[in-house]
Amino acid sequence: MEEEEEAKMNNQQEKSQKKNAILVDGVILNGPVADSKSGEKFVEEVNKIIMEEVVKKASDATEKVCEWQSPEQLRTLLDLELKDTGESHPKLLQLCQDVIQFSVKTYHPRFFNQLYAGIDYYSLAARFITEALNPSVYTYEISPVFLLVEEAVLKKMIEYIGWEGGDGIFNPGGSVSNMYAMNLARYKYFPDIKEKGLSGIPQLVLFTSEECHYSVKKAASFLGIGTQNVYFVKSDDRGKMIPEELEKQVQHARNEGSAPFFVSATAGTTVLGAFDPLNEIADICEKHNLWLHVDASWGGSALLSRRHRKLLHGIHRATSVAWNPHKMLMAGIQCCALLVKDSSGLLKRCYSANASYLFQQDKFYDISYDTGDKSIQCSRRADAFKFWMTWKALGTTGLEKRVNRALALVRYLVDEIKKREGFQLLLEPEYANICFWYIPPSLRKMEKGHEFWEKLSCVRKFL
Amino acid sequence: MEEEEEAKMNNQQEKSQKKNAILVDGVILNGPVADSKSGEKFVEEVNKIIMEEVVKKASDATEKVCEWQSPEQLRTLLDLELKDTGESHPKLLQLCQDVIQFSVKTYHPRFFNQLYAGIDYYSLAARFITEALNPSVYTYEISPVFLLVEEAVLKKMIEYIGWEGGDGIFNPGGSVSNMYAMNLARYKYFPDIKEKGLSGIPQLVLFTSEECHYSVKKAASFLGIGTQNVYFVKSDDRGKMIPEELEKQVQHARNEGSAPFFVSATAGTTVLGAFDPLNEIADICEKHNLWLHVDASWGGSALLSRRHRKLLHGIHRATSVAWNPHKMLMAGIQCCALLVKDSSGLLKRCYSANASYLFQQDKFYDISYDTGDKSIQCSRRADAFKFWMTWKALGTTGLEKRVNRALALVRYLVDEIKKREGFQLLLEPEYANICFWYIPPSLRKMEKGHEFWEKLSCVRKFL
């Protein structure tokens, strides 16, 4: 009886809704857009899966790092195809489970990689907030909190570099930071470039070490400078740029009539973890009026450790610095800052396009907070926030401990390698990169000549 | 009694831990790194706040879009400073509440913006998964699932453009997509550019309409071409590029000895929402052997609607397309694809740096899945995944409904504007941009001469 009445009422309600419906082009405009209750439920269910399968397993070294499947196998295991009709929630939840199951657990205590150092609960929580709020950090009116947060983080990073002031912008990666710096440098020396381009300007030449990150070459190509105008400076046997060689190369470039403008030193190289001698390089840059960029994407984190910041001795003399807190400091991908010593507004002058639909000049607040025009992007993610949250939670001393612990672990592993048969250390590490050979039993007695190294370099085949 | 015993046991455990401690540089290496239980709890608490304060309020139009505070006020309301010591969990949870409170609710039903169209529960859940797994999409071994997902999404987007095959890459924004295309085009015509740069190459010139997005200028500046070598083609009074004017400009550039190489047409302009006539523009590009890029960052979503895809008639003739599912399709910021008609590997040839530490050639799987070398980035986010999840959940028909609904709402609002006193429509919209004037009572009787328009353009002062 009650059910019948309810059905009747629902029916009446439906009819009345249909009667009042605003119908345009076959769409009922005042009907519900999405079933929000069921949507909320779905998000809650996925959150539960994430807590169980990811967050709570993150500290468990007995779990697998990865359930390896070849591309061909994985394709058959996952239902990847996008179809005309949607899937049910139970099916979607199973897909979420599958995605997690077959993904690499980058937070795993046994996963070793330059980009990862475990799970950070604070930055993770902050990233959930960012995703839920879905901001775009270009103008204050749309991202008030995140712009102030970015300002606070940049200020602190600049303080740790040792500059009195400066400017900066979070952007999608160390590679992009290096591009920003390279373009900024050429704009500083040749401001006409922005309008006129490279034609009519002497051949620009830049310098970096043989051990630099490959993004320096990518940047030179992308910016129209060309990879052959990247002059690679010899490194010593520890992977550090040799200042005398830099001096020679700069002289050589000048003699051939090119225009040297930019040196990209590396603080923490990709393979060996080497730190270029910044002070000596800064002397050369000052002498020749060159922009000194330090790619500290990897090594920058050491600045937070009183014990290890000497690795970056001289960094305060840099003109710009790339620093990625998403690596050793675990802020989550991506969290990368380009920092610039200039505080006269160079970054904005170089990158602004003054789009009138977005960066109106007659707003009712201080438009210096509309930092979007310093960027090559239009919409931009709030990447500073996750690092800010971790810093808030741990304090500088907590971040310092993180760095000290990483480098203490390196000391321990190096000692273990030295003690263990069949392992050979390549060189004493300066930072968190430990390069060693595993020598399989079949090669252990062999003389270390040509054949030995040949065979060792394809050791996978022998295992 | 029991408590005492427990305390005793804990004490013994601690002593035994200290005895077995591995101490290096003052760091106990085999102690716990972080309190994982308390970290997990924190993430759970933040998740609860997100569910209550963001997700469950997302469909509620009675909530505020924004609790406005000036930068100076907001700075005093939030504790932004980063200190030496960390904060307690209750303090951090309060900070999370504050961040949410003072942030703009971009998912709000009353928040109108090109980038936003409400909340999408599926993409949101997918984004939570991505943040928890924290992948970097460069090689298959580190992102097996996300690389296959990206492949599946790109394939489907290419299908909707109408190409038989193609290539593509998700990247951080429509602006960056436009840069990718511009650089790819010049590489195609002048492959030496990658090594040699722009010197020795005739003055490159590109074309776009007056109504284009400002990123085209930014790209020309960043890539070393220079903004004055962007030739702006006149648009008609609906904001569409006039093909005859393009033809004239190309001829003009040829006559002055420049090298025209690239046309960036716009499908959905920023202000008026206009669609350039792609078929006519494609004719001109074919005739002059120019790369036709279509910036469909905003308008691309219409491709999924059988009713509205005619807006992009001719897009299958484009050489490349930028399309952002993070706008009308609600995938979350950022979700942007550059799509390329070429399937001969141009994208990889143009962008690869063959970094040997990452893209080894002797891996035990098909290395064509290591798509990272097609990118200007090194670490890269799994942006395709959130869109894939929404597509899975709604099916193509669900996405189609989303587009149809948005454009039906436009029809409705236009009719309301026409009916209402004090409002004047600027032009009949083609897409989801509705341009209108609000005419305050003091101006309604005034003749529409110089003074009227002058006063109307600073209407804020009159309110």
Side-chain angles (χ1 to χ4, degrees):
Chain A
M1 179 66 187
E2 260 180 43
E3 266 176 42
E4 240 175 72
E5 227 160 276
E6 211 177 297
K8 210 170 144 188
M9 271 175 66
N10 281 346
N11 206 5
Q12 276 176 342
Q13 231 176 348
E14 244 174 62
K15 268 189 194 161
S16 122
Q17 268 177 1
K18 270 194 189 155
K19 210 176 126 193
N20 298 318
I22 303 175
L23 192 84
V24 177
D25 288 347
V27 181
I28 299 173
L29 295 184
N30 50 348
V33 184
D35 182 348
S36 56
K37 284 285 157 268
S38 127
E40 288 159 19
K41 184 97 189 337
F42 180 74
V43 175
E44 258 169 355
E45 295 287 339
V46 173
N47 273 344
K48 265 187 224 157
I49 296 174
I50 292 172
M51 282 309 298
E52 289 309 315
E53 300 301 319
V54 182
V55 180
K56 287 187 179 167
K57 288 184 177 172
S59 54
D60 186 353
T62 65
E63 291 283 331
K64 280 186 181 177
V65 173
C66 168
E67 192 163 323
W68 171 259
Q69 302 287 344
S70 73
E72 299 74 23
Q73 287 165 321
L74 188 52
R75 205 192 295 280
T76 64
L77 289 166
L78 292 171
D79 174 19
L80 291 161
E81 205 198 333
L82 299 166
K83 304 173 190 122
D84 284 348
T85 51
E87 306 282 4
S88 69
H89 280 193
K91 173 75 195 286
L92 293 171
L93 292 170
Q94 186 54 50
L95 273 172
C96 291
Q97 293 268 16
D98 296 345
V99 164
I100 293 170
Q101 185 186 347
F102 295 113
S103 285
V104 173
K105 309 302 182 294
T106 62
Y107 46 76
H108 194 284
R110 297 278 182 277
F111 182 67
F112 302 106
N113 188 292
Q114 306 97 314
L115 283 175
Y116 300 99
I119 193 166
D120 178 292
Y121 300 101
Y122 305 104
S123 91
L124 182 59
R127 286 180 271 148
F128 288 161
I129 292 175
T130 318
E131 291 305 332
L133 290 172
N134 197 28
S136 177
V137 187
Y138 37 40
T139 65
Y140 179 81
E141 68 216 317
I142 206 173
S143 278
V145 176
F146 298 112
L147 274 167
L148 291 186
V149 161
E150 181 166 9
E151 183 191 57
V153 176
L154 288 171
K155 196 178 149 209
K156 205 73 184 171
M157 292 174 89
I158 284 168
E159 190 186 313
Y160 275 86
I161 288 173
W163 294 333
E164 275 168 31
D167 201 351
I169 193 153
F170 276 81
N171 65 74
S175 297
V176 177
S177 291
N178 291 340
M179 284 187 184
Y180 263 99
M182 201 181 285
N183 182 48
L184 201 55
R186 69 180 180 182
Y187 173 75
K188 195 197 157 200
Y189 296 114
F190 304 96
D192 281 355
I193 273 185
K194 189 171 172 178
E195 282 84 37
K196 294 186 181 165
L198 290 167
S199 66
I201 279 176
Q203 181 59 63
L204 294 176
V205 161
L206 61 109
F207 308 87
T208 191
S209 86
E210 296 167 337
E211 296 287 325
C212 78
H213 189 255
Y214 70 92
S215 57
V216 177
K217 262 176 90 173
K218 281 210 179 190
S221 161
F222 199 59
L223 301 186
I225 295 170
T227 54
Q228 72 179 27
N229 299 306
V230 181
Y231 285 20
F232 290 98
V233 179
K234 267 197 196 143
S235 306
D236 64 18
D237 52 13
R238 300 186 52 92
K240 292 163 176 288
M241 189 194 282
I242 303 171
E244 295 73 24
E245 293 291 327
L246 172 63
E247 173 75 43
K248 271 190 225 164
Q249 293 258 28
V250 174
Q251 287 294 359
H252 172 71
R254 286 230 193 282
N255 293 343
E256 67 183 15
S258 301
F261 76 109
F262 183 78
V263 175
S264 180
T266 315
T269 61
T270 321
V271 176
L272 299 176
F275 287 74
D276 287 344
L278 300 182
N279 237 340
E280 288 86 336
I281 294 171
D283 287 342
I284 296 168
C285 289
E286 269 177 23
K287 182 178 156 194
H288 294 280
N289 190 27
L290 304 174
W291 181 291
L292 172 55
H293 173 65
V294 179
D295 179 358
S297 294
W298 172 219
S301 302
L303 288 171
L304 293 176
S305 158
R306 281 161 293 185
R307 187 179 299 152
H308 298 293
R309 61 171 289 128
K310 60 178 182 289
L311 287 167
L312 298 112
H313 184 61
I315 195 166
H316 63 285
R317 297 177 65 190
T319 334
S320 61
V321 172
W323 177 1
N324 297 359
H326 71 206
K327 300 186 177 193
M328 197 181 280
L329 298 174
M330 305 184 190
I333 288 170
Q334 284 157 322
C335 187
C336 309
L338 171 75
L339 302 147
V340 183
K341 196 179 202 166
D342 172 272
S343 52
S344 79
L346 185 70
L347 194 56
K348 193 162 181 179
R349 287 200 303 283
C350 177
Y351 287 104
S352 64
N354 300 313
S356 59
Y357 80 96
L358 196 55
F359 304 110
Q360 296 91 347
Q361 300 301 300
D362 59 347
K363 288 180 182 174
F364 51 89
Y365 60 83
D366 176 359
I367 55 164
S368 74
Y369 288 96
D370 289 357
T371 58
D373 220 11
K374 293 180 186 176
S375 168
I376 57 166
Q377 303 179 273
C378 182
S379 60
R380 190 164 66 91
R381 292 175 55 85
D383 290 335
F385 178 58
K386 48 196 173 186
F387 184 39
W388 178 82
M389 184 64 84
T390 297
W391 205 326
K392 269 285 178 199
L394 303 180
T396 313
T397 44
L399 294 176
E400 181 177 33
K401 270 187 196 158
R402 210 166 256 189
V403 176
N404 288 347
R405 184 184 161 77
L407 295 183
L409 280 165
V410 167
R411 296 309 328 151
Y412 177 74
L413 184 57
V414 164
D415 288 346
E416 289 298 308
I417 288 171
K418 286 176 182 170
K419 278 189 265 177
R420 194 163 300 191
E421 206 198 335
F423 285 82
Q424 191 185 325
L425 196 68
L426 201 74
L427 80 175
E428 283 291 335
E430 268 193 289
Y431 197 45
N433 312 42
I434 307 172
C435 299
F436 61 89
W437 292 104
Y438 167 65
I439 303 163
S442 63
L443 295 180
R444 283 180 202 167
K445 301 251 147 88
M446 199 182 280
E447 204 187 322
K448 285 182 182 163
H450 177 74
E451 197 194 337
F452 171 85
W453 291 109
E454 183 100 319
K455 285 194 167 166
L456 191 61
S457 71
C458 40
V459 80
R460 194 159 49 77
K461 296 178 195 152
F462 292 87
L463 288 175
Chain B
M1 181 65 189
E2 261 180 41
E3 266 176 43
E4 243 174 70
E5 226 158 276
E6 212 176 298
K8 212 169 139 188
M9 272 176 66
N10 282 345
N11 207 2
Q12 277 177 342
Q13 232 175 347
E14 245 173 64
K15 268 190 196 162
S16 120
Q17 270 176 358
K18 270 193 191 157
K19 210 176 125 193
N20 298 320
I22 302 173
L23 193 82
V24 177
D25 287 347
V27 181
I28 299 173
L29 295 183
N30 51 348
V33 185
D35 182 347
S36 56
K37 282 286 158 268
S38 127
E40 289 160 17
K41 184 97 188 340
F42 181 74
V43 175
E44 258 170 356
E45 295 287 339
V46 173
N47 273 344
K48 263 186 224 159
I49 295 174
I50 292 172
M51 283 309 296
E52 290 308 315
E53 300 300 320
V54 183
V55 180
K56 289 187 179 167
K57 287 183 177 173
S59 54
D60 186 353
T62 66
E63 290 284 331
K64 280 185 180 178
V65 172
C66 169
E67 193 162 322
W68 171 260
Q69 301 287 346
S70 74
E72 299 74 24
Q73 286 165 322
L74 188 52
R75 206 192 295 280
T76 64
L77 289 165
L78 291 171
D79 174 18
L80 291 162
E81 205 198 332
L82 299 166
K83 305 174 189 119
D84 284 349
T85 52
E87 306 281 4
S88 69
H89 281 194
K91 173 74 194 286
L92 293 171
L93 292 170
Q94 185 55 51
L95 273 172
C96 291
Q97 293 268 14
D98 295 344
V99 164
I100 292 170
Q101 186 187 346
F102 295 113
S103 285
V104 173
K105 309 303 182 294
T106 63
Y107 45 76
H108 194 286
R110 298 277 182 277
F111 183 67
F112 302 107
N113 189 291
Q114 304 97 314
L115 283 173
Y116 301 100
I119 193 166
D120 178 292
Y121 300 101
Y122 305 104
S123 91
L124 182 59
R127 286 180 271 149
F128 288 160
I129 292 176
T130 318
E131 292 305 330
L133 291 172
N134 198 26
S136 177
V137 187
Y138 37 42
T139 65
Y140 180 81
E141 69 216 316
I142 206 174
S143 278
V145 176
F146 297 112
L147 275 165
L148 292 186
V149 162
E150 182 166 7
E151 183 190 56
V153 177
L154 288 172
K155 197 177 148 212
K156 205 73 186 170
M157 291 174 89
I158 284 168
E159 190 185 312
Y160 275 86
I161 289 173
W163 293 334
E164 273 168 34
D167 201 351
I169 192 153
F170 276 81
N171 65 73
S175 298
V176 176
S177 292
N178 291 340
M179 284 186 182
Y180 263 99
M182 202 182 284
N183 182 48
L184 201 55
R186 70 180 181 183
Y187 173 76
K188 196 198 156 198
Y189 295 114
F190 303 98
D192 280 354
I193 274 186
K194 189 172 174 178
E195 282 86 37
K196 295 186 181 166
L198 289 167
S199 66
I201 278 176
Q203 182 59 63
L204 294 176
V205 162
L206 61 110
F207 308 86
T208 190
S209 86
E210 296 166 337
E211 296 286 325
C212 78
H213 189 255
Y214 70 93
S215 58
V216 177
K217 262 175 91 173
K218 280 209 180 192
S221 161
F222 200 59
L223 302 186
I225 294 169
T227 53
Q228 72 179 26
N229 298 307
V230 181
Y231 286 18
F232 290 98
V233 179
K234 267 197 196 142
S235 307
D236 64 18
D237 51 13
R238 300 187 51 92
K240 293 164 175 289
M241 189 194 281
I242 303 171
E244 294 75 23
E245 293 291 327
L246 172 63
E247 173 76 43
K248 270 191 226 165
Q249 293 259 27
V250 174
Q251 287 295 357
H252 172 69
R254 285 230 193 282
N255 293 343
E256 67 184 13
S258 301
F261 75 109
F262 183 78
V263 175
S264 180
T266 314
T269 61
T270 321
V271 176
L272 299 176
F275 287 74
D276 287 344
L278 301 181
N279 237 341
E280 287 86 336
I281 294 172
D283 288 341
I284 296 167
C285 290
E286 269 178 23
K287 181 177 155 194
H288 293 283
N289 190 27
L290 305 174
W291 180 291
L292 172 55
H293 173 65
V294 179
D295 180 358
S297 294
W298 172 219
S301 303
L303 288 170
L304 293 176
S305 159
R306 282 163 291 187
R307 188 180 298 153
H308 298 292
R309 62 170 289 130
K310 60 178 181 291
L311 287 167
L312 297 111
H313 184 61
I315 195 165
H316 64 284
R317 297 177 66 191
T319 334
S320 61
V321 172
W323 176 0
N324 297 0
H326 71 205
K327 300 187 175 193
M328 196 180 280
L329 299 174
M330 307 185 192
I333 288 170
Q334 285 156 320
C335 187
C336 308
L338 172 75
L339 302 146
V340 183
K341 195 177 201 167
D342 172 273
S343 52
S344 79
L346 185 70
L347 195 56
K348 191 161 183 180
R349 287 199 304 282
C350 177
Y351 287 105
S352 65
N354 301 313
S356 59
Y357 80 95
L358 195 55
F359 304 109
Q360 297 90 347
Q361 300 301 301
D362 60 347
K363 288 180 181 174
F364 51 91
Y365 60 83
D366 176 359
I367 55 163
S368 74
Y369 288 95
D370 289 357
T371 57
D373 220 11
K374 294 180 187 177
S375 170
I376 58 165
Q377 302 179 274
C378 181
S379 61
R380 189 165 65 93
R381 292 175 55 85
D383 289 336
F385 177 59
K386 48 195 173 187
F387 184 38
W388 178 82
M389 183 63 86
T390 297
W391 204 327
K392 268 285 179 201
L394 303 181
T396 313
T397 44
L399 294 176
E400 181 177 34
K401 271 187 196 159
R402 209 167 256 190
V403 176
N404 288 348
R405 184 184 162 76
L407 295 184
L409 281 165
V410 167
R411 294 313 324 153
Y412 177 74
L413 183 57
V414 164
D415 287 345
E416 289 298 308
I417 287 172
K418 286 178 181 169
K419 277 189 264 177
R420 195 164 300 191
E421 207 198 335
F423 285 83
Q424 191 185 324
L425 196 69
L426 201 74
L427 81 175
E428 283 291 335
E430 267 193 291
Y431 197 46
N433 311 43
I434 308 173
C435 298
F436 62 87
W437 292 103
Y438 167 65
I439 303 163
S442 64
L443 296 180
R444 284 181 201 166
K445 301 252 147 84
M446 199 183 279
E447 206 189 320
K448 284 179 183 168
H450 178 72
E451 198 194 338
F452 171 86
W453 290 110
E454 182 100 319
K455 286 194 165 166
L456 191 61
S457 70
C458 40
V459 80
R460 194 159 48 76
K461 296 178 193 152
F462 293 86
L463 288 175

